[in-house]
Amino acid sequence: MDKYRCGRCGKTFDDDKLKVLPGVRCPYCGYNIIYMIRKPTVKVIKAI
Ligand SMILES: [Zn+2]
C-alpha cells in the first residue's frame, strides 16, 4: 500500500483515505497537492 503526504500540512495517510474523498485531496486540510511516498524502500542518493 502506498502512502501519501500532504503538500501543505505534511500529514501522511494511506491511499484508502484518498478514495473516501472525491478527487485527490488531503483528508485533514483539503489541500489538493499530494505527494506519494513509497513506504518500504527509502532511497538515499549520496552525492559524491
Ligand atoms: Zn493537509
Side-chain angles (χ1 to χ4, degrees):
M1 184 186 288
D2 289 322
K3 282 215 163 214
Y4 294 88
R5 184 162 57 97
C6 175
R8 186 166 74 179
C9 69
K11 288 182 185 276
T12 56
F13 42 89
D14 297 323
D15 56 354
D16 59 338
K17 285 225 173 59
L18 275 185
K19 286 164 192 163
V20 174
L21 300 169
V24 179
R25 284 180 180 275
C26 173
Y28 299 100
C29 70
Y31 199 54
N32 61 352
I33 296 178
I34 304 296
Y35 298 100
M36 188 170 67
I37 307 169
R38 297 271 165 88
K39 196 167 51 170
T41 53
V42 178
K43 269 193 179 175
V44 177
I45 302 171
K46 287 184 179 175
I48 301 171

